[in-house]
Amino acid sequence: MLAIDAAAYKSPWRDVHPAVKGTLFGGLLLCALALPAWPGAAITAVTALVVAFGPAGVEPRAFARAAWAPLLFILTGSVTLLFSVGAPGDAAAGPALGPVAWDPDGLARAAEIVGRATAALLCQLLFAFTTPLADLLPRLTRIGLPAALVEMVALIYRMLFVTLDTARRIGTGQAGRLGYATRRAWIRSVGSLGAALFIRSYDRAQRMQRGLECRGYTGELTVLVDALPLRPQALLAAAAVPLLVAAATIGSGVWL
C-alpha cells in the first residue's frame, strides 16, 4: 500500500463523508485557481496547511514526503517562464544570451503560477490524505460520472498495487543475486525488471479479464461501501471555509 493511502485509512477524517471533504477541499481548490494569485494563493495555502496539521491530523513528515516531488516539478517548470525566445533585439527585454533573453515580465508570471499551483497541490494532497480512493470511487457514479469511467479508474487503481508489489518482489530477488552491485549490473537488472514487469502485467490483465467473464461480468463491478452520514451542518461548515478565504482575499485587495 502506498504511504498516502495508508495515511488516508488512518486519518481521523476517515469517517467523514467524502462530499463534505470534497466541498471543503474543492472549494479551496477553486479559490486557488479563481482568486487573484496574491494574496489569494497564499491565504489558500496557509488555510490548507492549518486544516491539514490541525483537525485533519495529517502527519507533517508524510505530507512533506508526498509534496516535495510535485513542488520540485512546479519550481523547475516555472524557470522557463523567466526567459523569452526569439527577440534578442527587443529594447524592453533584458540581457540576451543568443536567441534567449531575460523576460522582464517572466518573474511576476512565474511567481503567480508557482503560487497558484502550490496552493492547488496542497488542496489535492489534503483530500488524498484524508479520503481513501476505495471510499470515493463507488460514490462517483451517484453524482453522474459515467460508470465505465469509474470502473476504469478503479481497475487501474487496483492493478497499480499489483504492479508495484510485483516490481518490489522482482527487485528484491535481483538484489539478493547482487544484481545492483555494479553499474553495469544495475543497468542490466533494471532492463530485466522492466521487461518482466510488462509481461507479467499483461498476463495478469488477461487472467483478470477471464476471471471477470467467468463470474458473469456485465460491465459493472459491484462493491460494498460503508454508509456514512451526510449532515447538512457539516456541509455548511465545509463550505464556510472557502467562502471565508474568498472574503479575506477580496477584502485584502480592497484595503491594498
Side-chain angles (χ1 to χ4, degrees):
M1 179 177 290
L2 298 176
I4 194 169
D5 288 285
Y9 278 101
K10 293 187 298 185
S11 171
W13 283 9
R14 166 74 194 283
D15 295 332
V16 177
H17 198 284
V20 177
K21 290 177 282 189
T23 302
L24 172 59
F25 304 131
L28 289 176
L29 180 61
L30 286 177
C31 290
L33 299 178
L35 292 175
W38 307 110
I43 295 176
T44 303
V46 171
T47 304
L49 291 176
V50 169
V51 173
F53 304 138
V58 176
E59 185 186 355
R61 182 175 298 180
F63 194 79
R65 281 199 298 267
W68 77 266
L71 284 177
L72 184 62
F73 177 78
I74 293 171
L75 291 175
T76 53
S78 65
V79 172
T80 58
L81 299 173
L82 302 178
F83 303 93
S84 61
V85 179
D90 191 351
L97 181 62
V100 179
W102 173 265
D103 190 340
D105 301 326
L107 184 59
R109 193 161 57 245
E112 177 181 346
I113 291 179
V114 168
R116 288 188 188 278
T118 301
L121 170 69
L122 296 179
C123 297
Q124 295 175 72
L125 280 180
L126 191 50
F127 183 74
F129 264 90
T130 55
T131 309
L133 201 60
D135 291 349
L136 175 66
L137 288 177
R139 293 182 169 89
L140 291 180
T141 55
R142 302 176 187 174
I143 60 174
L145 263 69
L149 177 63
V150 177
E151 293 288 337
M152 186 177 296
V153 174
L155 289 176
I156 292 174
Y157 176 69
R158 290 181 174 86
M159 288 299 295
L160 177 64
F161 291 99
V162 176
T163 304
L164 290 175
D165 183 65
T166 304
R168 183 183 60 81
R169 290 174 183 272
I170 296 175
T172 302
Q174 289 176 328
R177 297 189 293 274
L178 301 180
Y180 297 97
T182 63
R183 184 180 181 84
R184 176 176 294 183
W186 185 89
I187 295 174
R188 184 171 57 249
S189 297
V190 170
S192 301
L193 189 151
L197 201 60
F198 174 77
I199 294 174
R200 293 192 184 188
S201 300
Y202 188 77
D203 179 64
R204 282 178 180 272
Q206 285 188 319
R207 285 191 289 166
M208 184 180 69
Q209 178 65 28
R210 287 196 296 269
L212 290 173
E213 290 174 352
C214 291
R215 289 173 173 82
Y217 178 64
T218 59
E220 182 177 358
L221 290 174
T222 304
V223 296
L224 293 175
V225 293
D226 296 333
L228 299 175
L230 180 57
R231 299 184 177 88
Q233 299 87 342
L235 272 177
L236 292 176
V241 176
L243 289 177
L244 289 175
V245 170
T249 302
I250 296 172
S252 63
V254 171
W255 286 104
L256 291 175

